[in-house]
Amino acid sequence: MLSLDSALRPRAEDLVAKVLDGEALIINMATGVYYSTATSGAFIWEHIAGGCRLRDIAAALAARYGIPLARAEADVLELAAKLLEEKLVTPCEGAPATTAIDVSAIPLSAYESPELEIYRDIGHLVALDPPMPGLKDLPWKGPSDDTSS
Amino acid sequence: MRVLFWSELFWPHVGGVEILAAQTVEGLRERGLDVAVVTSHDDSILLPDQGDHAGAPVYRLPLRAALASGDVDELMRQRRRVGQLKTELAVDLVHVFGLGPSTLFHLQTQRAPHPPVLVTMHGEVLRGGADRGDTVLEKTLASASAVLCVSGAVLDATRALAPEAAARTSLLYSGVRPTAAEVLAEPGIGNREPLLLCLGRFVRDKGFDLAIAAFASIAEAIPAARLVLAGDGPERAALEAGAASLGLGDRVRFVGWVDADQVSALLAATSVLIMPSRREGLPLVAIQAAQMGVPVVGTSAGGLPEVVVAGETGLIVAPEDTEALATSIASLLRDRDAMQRMGGAARERADDVFGWERYLAATERVYAETVDRGRSS
């Protein structure tokens, strides 16, 4: 049961994930599904991956952005539930004690609730039309294409 | 008007969409539009990062390789490059000419304010479904200012998939640029040795295995008939093995990829084009055959019946019905008058419905309307 006292950990065996430029990009290599979450979502992902309890992440968000704690907690729980549903994270046994999060590291901008963007059909689109022809099969010159530059 | 023409792959990659993309860029350039092509590299052909097509710059980025790599740093790096390119090009319109995995990079670099986006849907929507809005397909449709569909079948499927985009979605039949050979040629209807042709990628959707199976029974009844398969692809070995196992010998020939001039010459010698497709958007080769007065025996898949009017410009059978395919082909080969009548009707209709200048003019008009709407919204 997911609660603010939960801590989660990424399912590292299946995932490639990184936070860059304020955005978390997550690829489930087992399913080929791509995920991205920016700003507050990236912050939440980063600290979930760092082993923090959801309650501590919410408190840090509320402090940094000056939003009501209740809203921050609801947003954190909602994103965590999505991450669980997508099997990107798994409950972490033996949740750590309260963790202090350095909120000064968060770039200050207008707060937006986290969104998890999902792209489920990348693998399907790759498989749709294999590129033609391969190099060895190319028997002709282009009609007007100058590819020499 | 300055247009970013986004194409998953681009010439010299081939396939119906890639050929239409290249011809469309040529036609728009001739009409004076300032077009820049952004496309993905693919490991199958080594091409420069920047080229030129009919005066349009072509920017190739390793987008498919980045997606295949699972390397997050590389994905971010390519995304930044796409974003920078969009900024530098400062276009009035982005035209996403068909969807592929690289469309992800377009979607993720749409930062407000951005120019209006026109999307052309080919056959993708017939093969991909909705998934709670969490697909490149659905997100692209949701974010498009306007959507063009290449056939009525694609239009219906697109509107069913994205009803909220229905009002922005319309039909524009593709055109095929006629060559001199197509204007002058007489089809090979009068051949003493009837030539049946299958042309395209050797992928399962094209159903060329069904054509070979059908030809086995035709070959018995019409000993002079021959079948040529032009193209290549992952199914080639299986197709060749299938023809060999049916004892068809040299009456079935695999001629590999043929260039644009050879396509015209091949069609000019063709009695009937066979399109046993399992799935189709709007097959250009069927339009090209019609332009040359070659009747088509095809299936009811996707937009094929919109090119081939059953009983008027060719014959239509159900997908996977090899027996009906063989019967229809044989009936045409035995009735030269019907072949000529259908070929003539196909040519006339192709000029009316799939004319090249009509297609270009309509595309240019949609560009202007989409940009105007973008300005006023």
Side-chain angles (χ1 to χ4, degrees), chain B residues 230-276:
Chain B
D232 208 338
E235 299 284 318
R236 179 166 183 161
L239 292 173
E240 288 177 335
S245 71
L246 291 167
L248 296 170
D250 59 4
R251 295 180 64 186
V252 175
R253 286 189 60 208
F254 291 83
V255 298
W257 287 107
V258 291
D259 71 16
D261 293 340
Q262 288 174 320
V263 167
S264 300
L266 202 49
L267 279 170
T270 294
S271 310
V272 179
L273 179 73
I274 313 299
M275 298 209 63

mmCIF file of all heavy atoms in Angstrom, chain B residues 230-276:
data_model
loop_
_atom_site.group_PDB
_atom_site.id
_atom_site.type_symbol
_atom_site.label_atom_id
_atom_site.label_comp_id
_atom_site.label_asym_id
_atom_site.label_seq_id
_atom_site.Cartn_x
_atom_site.Cartn_y
_atom_site.Cartn_z
ATOM 1 N N ALA B 230 9.360 -7.192 -58.422
ATOM 2 C CA ALA B 230 10.393 -6.147 -58.367
ATOM 3 C C ALA B 230 10.389 -5.536 -56.975
ATOM 4 O O ALA B 230 9.347 -5.098 -56.491
ATOM 5 C CB ALA B 230 10.114 -5.082 -59.420
ATOM 6 N N GLY B 231 11.552 -5.517 -56.350
ATOM 7 C CA GLY B 231 11.663 -4.966 -55.003
ATOM 8 C C GLY B 231 12.579 -5.841 -54.172
ATOM 9 O O GLY B 231 13.292 -6.707 -54.694
ATOM 10 N N ASP B 232 12.536 -5.612 -52.905
ATOM 11 C CA ASP B 232 13.380 -6.404 -52.014
ATOM 12 C C ASP B 232 12.849 -6.228 -50.598
ATOM 13 O O ASP B 232 11.970 -5.382 -50.370
ATOM 14 C CB ASP B 232 14.838 -5.947 -52.097
ATOM 15 C CG ASP B 232 15.802 -7.081 -51.783
ATOM 16 O OD1 ASP B 232 15.378 -8.056 -51.126
ATOM 17 O OD2 ASP B 232 16.973 -6.995 -52.175
ATOM 18 N N GLY B 233 13.387 -6.996 -49.694
ATOM 19 C CA GLY B 233 12.952 -6.854 -48.317
ATOM 20 C C GLY B 233 13.122 -8.141 -47.547
ATOM 21 O O GLY B 233 13.612 -9.141 -48.083
ATOM 22 N N PRO B 234 12.698 -8.113 -46.300
ATOM 23 C CA PRO B 234 12.956 -9.253 -45.413
ATOM 24 C C PRO B 234 12.273 -10.545 -45.840
ATOM 25 O O PRO B 234 12.694 -11.617 -45.430
ATOM 26 C CB PRO B 234 12.422 -8.765 -44.051
ATOM 27 C CG PRO B 234 11.575 -7.577 -44.336
ATOM 28 C CD PRO B 234 12.085 -6.973 -45.597
ATOM 29 N N GLU B 235 11.242 -10.468 -46.669
ATOM 30 C CA GLU B 235 10.537 -11.676 -47.080
ATOM 31 C C GLU B 235 11.125 -12.307 -48.338
ATOM 32 O O GLU B 235 10.606 -13.316 -48.830
ATOM 33 C CB GLU B 235 9.053 -11.342 -47.331
ATOM 34 C CG GLU B 235 8.305 -10.805 -46.123
ATOM 35 C CD GLU B 235 7.964 -11.892 -45.124
ATOM 36 O OE1 GLU B 235 7.563 -12.975 -45.549
ATOM 37 O OE2 GLU B 235 8.145 -11.659 -43.907
ATOM 38 N N ARG B 236 12.180 -11.727 -48.874
ATOM 39 C CA ARG B 236 12.640 -12.181 -50.194
ATOM 40 C C ARG B 236 12.990 -13.674 -50.217
ATOM 41 O O ARG B 236 12.565 -14.405 -51.128
ATOM 42 C CB ARG B 236 13.844 -11.357 -50.660
ATOM 43 C CG ARG B 236 14.344 -11.834 -52.019
ATOM 44 C CD ARG B 236 15.288 -10.857 -52.676
ATOM 45 N NE ARG B 236 15.662 -11.334 -53.995
ATOM 46 C CZ ARG B 236 16.171 -10.564 -54.949
ATOM 47 N NH1 ARG B 236 16.366 -9.288 -54.738
ATOM 48 N NH2 ARG B 236 16.485 -11.070 -56.121
ATOM 49 N N ALA B 237 13.767 -14.102 -49.255
ATOM 50 C CA ALA B 237 14.188 -15.510 -49.258
ATOM 51 C C ALA B 237 12.976 -16.430 -49.198
ATOM 52 O O ALA B 237 12.910 -17.441 -49.918
ATOM 53 C CB ALA B 237 15.126 -15.766 -48.089
ATOM 54 N N ALA B 238 11.999 -16.085 -48.377
ATOM 55 C CA ALA B 238 10.804 -16.925 -48.254
ATOM 56 C C ALA B 238 10.006 -16.926 -49.555
ATOM 57 O O ALA B 238 9.464 -17.962 -49.969
ATOM 58 C CB ALA B 238 9.940 -16.422 -47.103
ATOM 59 N N LEU B 239 9.945 -15.778 -50.214
ATOM 60 C CA LEU B 239 9.211 -15.697 -51.482
ATOM 61 C C LEU B 239 9.899 -16.543 -52.550
ATOM 62 O O LEU B 239 9.241 -17.277 -53.304
ATOM 63 C CB LEU B 239 9.114 -14.235 -51.945
ATOM 64 C CG LEU B 239 8.241 -13.311 -51.091
ATOM 65 C CD1 LEU B 239 8.365 -11.860 -51.563
ATOM 66 C CD2 LEU B 239 6.779 -13.748 -51.143
ATOM 67 N N GLU B 240 11.214 -16.439 -52.614
ATOM 68 C CA GLU B 240 11.950 -17.226 -53.612
ATOM 69 C C GLU B 240 11.780 -18.716 -53.334
ATOM 70 O O GLU B 240 11.581 -19.509 -54.265
ATOM 71 C CB GLU B 240 13.432 -16.830 -53.589
ATOM 72 C CG GLU B 240 13.675 -15.447 -54.187
ATOM 73 C CD GLU B 240 15.128 -15.001 -54.122
ATOM 74 O OE1 GLU B 240 15.877 -15.489 -53.244
ATOM 75 O OE2 GLU B 240 15.511 -14.153 -54.953
ATOM 76 N N ALA B 241 11.842 -19.073 -52.067
ATOM 77 C CA ALA B 241 11.673 -20.488 -51.711
ATOM 78 C C ALA B 241 10.265 -20.961 -52.056
ATOM 79 O O ALA B 241 10.070 -22.084 -52.544
ATOM 80 C CB ALA B 241 11.952 -20.675 -50.217
ATOM 81 N N GLY B 242 9.279 -20.087 -51.834
ATOM 82 C CA GLY B 242 7.895 -20.441 -52.150
ATOM 83 C C GLY B 242 7.706 -20.682 -53.631
ATOM 84 O O GLY B 242 7.066 -21.667 -54.041
ATOM 85 N N ALA B 243 8.278 -19.810 -54.458
ATOM 86 C CA ALA B 243 8.167 -19.974 -55.910
ATOM 87 C C ALA B 243 8.859 -21.256 -56.353
ATOM 88 O O ALA B 243 8.340 -21.998 -57.195
ATOM 89 C CB ALA B 243 8.770 -18.753 -56.615
ATOM 90 N N ALA B 244 10.005 -21.531 -55.772
ATOM 91 C CA ALA B 244 10.751 -22.734 -56.148
ATOM 92 C C ALA B 244 9.980 -23.990 -55.744
ATOM 93 O O ALA B 244 9.893 -24.955 -56.510
ATOM 94 C CB ALA B 244 12.131 -22.714 -55.489
ATOM 95 N N SER B 245 9.382 -23.958 -54.569
ATOM 96 C CA SER B 245 8.678 -25.154 -54.090
ATOM 97 C C SER B 245 7.440 -25.450 -54.930
ATOM 98 O O SER B 245 6.978 -26.588 -54.983
ATOM 99 C CB SER B 245 8.293 -24.989 -52.621
ATOM 100 O OG SER B 245 7.258 -24.027 -52.497
ATOM 101 N N LEU B 246 6.911 -24.428 -55.592
ATOM 102 C CA LEU B 246 5.737 -24.634 -56.451
ATOM 103 C C LEU B 246 6.148 -25.009 -57.872
ATOM 104 O O LEU B 246 5.298 -25.146 -58.754
ATOM 105 C CB LEU B 246 4.869 -23.357 -56.467
ATOM 106 C CG LEU B 246 4.155 -23.046 -55.152
ATOM 107 C CD1 LEU B 246 3.578 -21.633 -55.148
ATOM 108 C CD2 LEU B 246 3.045 -24.063 -54.907
ATOM 109 N N GLY B 247 7.456 -25.140 -58.092
ATOM 110 C CA GLY B 247 7.955 -25.577 -59.396
ATOM 111 C C GLY B 247 7.717 -24.560 -60.494
ATOM 112 O O GLY B 247 7.516 -24.929 -61.658
ATOM 113 N N LEU B 248 7.743 -23.274 -60.133
ATOM 114 C CA LEU B 248 7.422 -22.247 -61.137
ATOM 115 C C LEU B 248 8.634 -21.862 -61.992
ATOM 116 O O LEU B 248 8.480 -21.157 -63.000
ATOM 117 C CB LEU B 248 6.832 -21.016 -60.438
ATOM 118 C CG LEU B 248 5.488 -21.298 -59.743
ATOM 119 C CD1 LEU B 248 5.065 -20.130 -58.871
ATOM 120 C CD2 LEU B 248 4.418 -21.610 -60.780
ATOM 121 N N GLY B 249 9.800 -22.293 -61.584
ATOM 122 C CA GLY B 249 11.002 -22.112 -62.388
ATOM 123 C C GLY B 249 11.214 -20.682 -62.825
ATOM 124 O O GLY B 249 10.980 -19.738 -62.047
ATOM 125 N N ASP B 250 11.599 -20.511 -64.104
ATOM 126 C CA ASP B 250 11.923 -19.163 -64.570
ATOM 127 C C ASP B 250 10.690 -18.376 -65.000
ATOM 128 O O ASP B 250 10.804 -17.295 -65.561
ATOM 129 C CB ASP B 250 12.959 -19.214 -65.696
ATOM 130 C CG ASP B 250 12.451 -20.014 -66.878
ATOM 131 O OD1 ASP B 250 11.275 -20.452 -66.842
ATOM 132 O OD2 ASP B 250 13.219 -20.204 -67.842
ATOM 133 N N ARG B 251 9.531 -18.921 -64.727
ATOM 134 C CA ARG B 251 8.319 -18.139 -65.028
ATOM 135 C C ARG B 251 8.035 -17.116 -63.938
ATOM 136 O O ARG B 251 7.180 -16.250 -64.091
ATOM 137 C CB ARG B 251 7.129 -19.087 -65.212
ATOM 138 C CG ARG B 251 7.342 -19.974 -66.461
ATOM 139 C CD ARG B 251 6.202 -20.905 -66.649
ATOM 140 N NE ARG B 251 4.967 -20.179 -66.919
ATOM 141 C CZ ARG B 251 3.793 -20.773 -67.003
ATOM 142 N NH1 ARG B 251 3.685 -22.067 -66.810
ATOM 143 N NH2 ARG B 251 2.704 -20.064 -67.272
ATOM 144 N N VAL B 252 8.725 -17.236 -62.823
ATOM 145 C CA VAL B 252 8.669 -16.200 -61.778
ATOM 146 C C VAL B 252 10.070 -15.630 -61.653
ATOM 147 O O VAL B 252 11.031 -16.361 -61.402
ATOM 148 C CB VAL B 252 8.214 -16.775 -60.422
ATOM 149 C CG1 VAL B 252 8.284 -15.694 -59.343
ATOM 150 C CG2 VAL B 252 6.801 -17.321 -60.526
ATOM 151 N N ARG B 253 10.173 -14.335 -61.859
ATOM 152 C CA ARG B 253 11.504 -13.697 -61.801
ATOM 153 C C ARG B 253 11.546 -12.666 -60.689
ATOM 154 O O ARG B 253 10.613 -11.869 -60.518
ATOM 155 C CB ARG B 253 11.832 -13.006 -63.131
ATOM 156 C CG ARG B 253 12.194 -13.976 -64.247
ATOM 157 C CD ARG B 253 12.700 -13.212 -65.447
ATOM 158 N NE ARG B 253 13.888 -12.417 -65.129
ATOM 159 C CZ ARG B 253 14.227 -11.298 -65.759
ATOM 160 N NH1 ARG B 253 13.461 -10.821 -66.713
ATOM 161 N NH2 ARG B 253 15.312 -10.648 -65.421
ATOM 162 N N PHE B 254 12.647 -12.671 -59.962
ATOM 163 C CA PHE B 254 12.894 -11.654 -58.938
ATOM 164 C C PHE B 254 13.957 -10.714 -59.500
ATOM 165 O O PHE B 254 15.084 -11.141 -59.746
ATOM 166 C CB PHE B 254 13.380 -12.312 -57.642
ATOM 167 C CG PHE B 254 12.328 -13.124 -56.953
ATOM 168 C CD1 PHE B 254 12.076 -14.440 -57.342
ATOM 169 C CD2 PHE B 254 11.570 -12.576 -55.927
ATOM 170 C CE1 PHE B 254 11.095 -15.194 -56.715
ATOM 171 C CE2 PHE B 254 10.586 -13.329 -55.294
ATOM 172 C CZ PHE B 254 10.343 -14.640 -55.695
ATOM 173 N N VAL B 255 13.580 -9.468 -59.725
ATOM 174 C CA VAL B 255 14.509 -8.560 -60.418
ATOM 175 C C VAL B 255 15.127 -7.528 -59.476
ATOM 176 O O VAL B 255 15.881 -6.661 -59.921
ATOM 177 C CB VAL B 255 13.820 -7.840 -61.604
ATOM 178 C CG1 VAL B 255 13.358 -8.857 -62.632
ATOM 179 C CG2 VAL B 255 12.645 -6.987 -61.135
ATOM 180 N N GLY B 256 14.831 -7.608 -58.187
ATOM 181 C CA GLY B 256 15.428 -6.674 -57.228
ATOM 182 C C GLY B 256 14.818 -5.288 -57.349
ATOM 183 O O GLY B 256 13.790 -5.079 -58.001
ATOM 184 N N TRP B 257 15.486 -4.331 -56.707
ATOM 185 C CA TRP B 257 15.001 -2.950 -56.784
ATOM 186 C C TRP B 257 15.189 -2.417 -58.191
ATOM 187 O O TRP B 257 16.196 -2.694 -58.843
ATOM 188 C CB TRP B 257 15.771 -2.052 -55.828
ATOM 189 C CG TRP B 257 15.397 -2.286 -54.410
ATOM 190 C CD1 TRP B 257 16.141 -2.917 -53.465
ATOM 191 C CD2 TRP B 257 14.177 -1.907 -53.776
ATOM 192 N NE1 TRP B 257 15.457 -2.961 -52.274
ATOM 193 C CE2 TRP B 257 14.255 -2.350 -52.438
ATOM 194 C CE3 TRP B 257 13.026 -1.247 -54.205
ATOM 195 C CZ2 TRP B 257 13.222 -2.148 -51.525
ATOM 196 C CZ3 TRP B 257 11.995 -1.054 -53.295
ATOM 197 C CH2 TRP B 257 12.102 -1.489 -51.985
ATOM 198 N N VAL B 258 14.245 -1.634 -58.630
ATOM 199 C CA VAL B 258 14.363 -1.001 -59.942
ATOM 200 C C VAL B 258 14.255 0.509 -59.745
ATOM 201 O O VAL B 258 13.534 0.977 -58.855
ATOM 202 C CB VAL B 258 13.280 -1.493 -60.920
ATOM 203 C CG1 VAL B 258 13.534 -2.946 -61.275
ATOM 204 C CG2 VAL B 258 11.889 -1.335 -60.338
ATOM 205 N N ASP B 259 14.993 1.272 -60.547
ATOM 206 C CA ASP B 259 14.955 2.724 -60.358
ATOM 207 C C ASP B 259 13.716 3.313 -61.025
ATOM 208 O O ASP B 259 12.928 2.602 -61.659
ATOM 209 C CB ASP B 259 16.252 3.380 -60.820
ATOM 210 C CG ASP B 259 16.411 3.378 -62.313
ATOM 211 O OD1 ASP B 259 15.420 3.158 -63.030
ATOM 212 O OD2 ASP B 259 17.540 3.609 -62.782
ATOM 213 N N ALA B 260 13.550 4.617 -60.865
ATOM 214 C CA ALA B 260 12.306 5.267 -61.314
ATOM 215 C C ALA B 260 12.054 5.031 -62.804
ATOM 216 O O ALA B 260 10.925 4.729 -63.205
ATOM 217 C CB ALA B 260 12.372 6.759 -60.998
ATOM 218 N N ASP B 261 13.089 5.145 -63.625
ATOM 219 C CA ASP B 261 12.897 4.935 -65.067
ATOM 220 C C ASP B 261 12.512 3.487 -65.353
ATOM 221 O O ASP B 261 11.669 3.209 -66.211
ATOM 222 C CB ASP B 261 14.185 5.276 -65.821
ATOM 223 C CG ASP B 261 14.484 6.765 -65.741
ATOM 224 O OD1 ASP B 261 13.539 7.530 -65.464
ATOM 225 O OD2 ASP B 261 15.655 7.145 -65.932
ATOM 226 N N GLN B 262 13.161 2.590 -64.624
ATOM 227 C CA GLN B 262 12.868 1.172 -64.852
ATOM 228 C C GLN B 262 11.453 0.813 -64.415
ATOM 229 O O GLN B 262 10.833 -0.060 -65.015
ATOM 230 C CB GLN B 262 13.881 0.303 -64.105
ATOM 231 C CG GLN B 262 15.266 0.326 -64.731
ATOM 232 C CD GLN B 262 16.275 -0.434 -63.881
ATOM 233 O OE1 GLN B 262 16.249 -0.352 -62.661
ATOM 234 N NE2 GLN B 262 17.144 -1.166 -64.529
ATOM 235 N N VAL B 263 10.949 1.503 -63.387
ATOM 236 C CA VAL B 263 9.569 1.253 -62.959
ATOM 237 C C VAL B 263 8.622 1.569 -64.111
ATOM 238 O O VAL B 263 7.717 0.795 -64.435
ATOM 239 C CB VAL B 263 9.212 2.090 -61.716
ATOM 240 C CG1 VAL B 263 7.706 2.070 -61.461
ATOM 241 C CG2 VAL B 263 9.947 1.561 -60.491
ATOM 242 N N SER B 264 8.851 2.708 -64.758
ATOM 243 C CA SER B 264 7.988 3.085 -65.884
ATOM 244 C C SER B 264 8.089 2.063 -66.999
ATOM 245 O O SER B 264 7.073 1.653 -67.567
ATOM 246 C CB SER B 264 8.394 4.466 -66.405
ATOM 247 O OG SER B 264 8.261 5.419 -65.381
ATOM 248 N N ALA B 265 9.302 1.649 -67.306
ATOM 249 C CA ALA B 265 9.489 0.684 -68.393
ATOM 250 C C ALA B 265 8.839 -0.654 -68.038
ATOM 251 O O ALA B 265 8.214 -1.298 -68.891
ATOM 252 C CB ALA B 265 10.980 0.500 -68.662
ATOM 253 N N LEU B 266 8.991 -1.030 -66.777
ATOM 254 C CA LEU B 266 8.421 -2.300 -66.330
ATOM 255 C C LEU B 266 6.895 -2.250 -66.409
ATOM 256 O O LEU B 266 6.245 -3.178 -66.901
ATOM 257 C CB LEU B 266 8.889 -2.561 -64.896
ATOM 258 C CG LEU B 266 8.891 -3.988 -64.369
ATOM 259 C CD1 LEU B 266 9.574 -4.949 -65.325
ATOM 260 C CD2 LEU B 266 9.587 -4.027 -63.012
ATOM 261 N N LEU B 267 6.337 -1.147 -65.939
ATOM 262 C CA LEU B 267 4.880 -1.007 -66.004
ATOM 263 C C LEU B 267 4.408 -0.962 -67.457
ATOM 264 O O LEU B 267 3.333 -1.470 -67.792
ATOM 265 C CB LEU B 267 4.429 0.253 -65.255
ATOM 266 C CG LEU B 267 4.325 0.117 -63.740
ATOM 267 C CD1 LEU B 267 4.116 1.481 -63.083
ATOM 268 C CD2 LEU B 267 3.175 -0.813 -63.351
ATOM 269 N N ALA B 268 5.234 -0.357 -68.314
ATOM 270 C CA ALA B 268 4.849 -0.253 -69.723
ATOM 271 C C ALA B 268 4.745 -1.626 -70.365
ATOM 272 O O ALA B 268 4.018 -1.813 -71.337
ATOM 273 C CB ALA B 268 5.860 0.613 -70.470
ATOM 274 N N ALA B 269 5.469 -2.582 -69.837
ATOM 275 C CA ALA B 269 5.440 -3.934 -70.389
ATOM 276 C C ALA B 269 4.476 -4.845 -69.645
ATOM 277 O O ALA B 269 4.354 -6.022 -69.952
ATOM 278 C CB ALA B 269 6.849 -4.526 -70.340
ATOM 279 N N THR B 270 3.786 -4.283 -68.658
ATOM 280 C CA THR B 270 2.953 -5.097 -67.767
ATOM 281 C C THR B 270 1.524 -5.231 -68.299
ATOM 282 O O THR B 270 0.937 -4.262 -68.772
ATOM 283 C CB THR B 270 2.922 -4.447 -66.357
ATOM 284 O OG1 THR B 270 4.238 -4.512 -65.804
ATOM 285 C CG2 THR B 270 1.952 -5.156 -65.440
ATOM 286 N N SER B 271 0.994 -6.443 -68.195
ATOM 287 C CA SER B 271 -0.404 -6.663 -68.577
ATOM 288 C C SER B 271 -1.330 -6.321 -67.411
ATOM 289 O O SER B 271 -2.338 -5.627 -67.589
ATOM 290 C CB SER B 271 -0.610 -8.128 -68.967
ATOM 291 O OG SER B 271 0.362 -8.539 -69.895
ATOM 292 N N VAL B 272 -0.998 -6.824 -66.234
ATOM 293 C CA VAL B 272 -1.824 -6.579 -65.045
ATOM 294 C C VAL B 272 -0.901 -6.416 -63.836
ATOM 295 O O VAL B 272 0.015 -7.217 -63.647
ATOM 296 C CB VAL B 272 -2.802 -7.750 -64.782
ATOM 297 C CG1 VAL B 272 -3.638 -7.477 -63.537
ATOM 298 C CG2 VAL B 272 -3.702 -7.999 -65.975
ATOM 299 N N LEU B 273 -1.149 -5.372 -63.041
ATOM 300 C CA LEU B 273 -0.409 -5.210 -61.783
ATOM 301 C C LEU B 273 -1.166 -5.960 -60.693
ATOM 302 O O LEU B 273 -2.383 -5.803 -60.560
ATOM 303 C CB LEU B 273 -0.306 -3.726 -61.413
ATOM 304 C CG LEU B 273 0.427 -3.421 -60.095
ATOM 305 C CD1 LEU B 273 1.929 -3.626 -60.257
ATOM 306 C CD2 LEU B 273 0.138 -2.002 -59.618
ATOM 307 N N ILE B 274 -0.439 -6.751 -59.922
ATOM 308 C CA ILE B 274 -1.066 -7.546 -58.855
ATOM 309 C C ILE B 274 -0.724 -6.915 -57.512
ATOM 310 O O ILE B 274 0.438 -6.709 -57.188
ATOM 311 C CB ILE B 274 -0.536 -9.003 -58.863
ATOM 312 C CG1 ILE B 274 -0.538 -9.579 -60.278
ATOM 313 C CG2 ILE B 274 -1.361 -9.871 -57.915
ATOM 314 C CD1 ILE B 274 -1.876 -9.644 -60.918
ATOM 315 N N MET B 275 -1.753 -6.606 -56.734
ATOM 316 C CA MET B 275 -1.545 -6.020 -55.400
ATOM 317 C C MET B 275 -2.342 -6.811 -54.365
ATOM 318 O O MET B 275 -3.442 -6.413 -53.969
ATOM 319 C CB MET B 275 -1.962 -4.549 -55.397
ATOM 320 C CG MET B 275 -1.133 -3.719 -56.354
ATOM 321 S SD MET B 275 -0.990 -2.010 -55.833
ATOM 322 C CE MET B 275 -0.116 -2.141 -54.295
ATOM 323 N N PRO B 276 -1.788 -7.931 -53.889
ATOM 324 C CA PRO B 276 -2.533 -8.794 -52.961
ATOM 325 C C PRO B 276 -2.384 -8.341 -51.503
ATOM 326 O O PRO B 276 -2.263 -9.162 -50.596
ATOM 327 C CB PRO B 276 -1.864 -10.153 -53.175
ATOM 328 C CG PRO B 276 -0.589 -9.886 -53.913
ATOM 329 C CD PRO B 276 -0.450 -8.440 -54.169
#
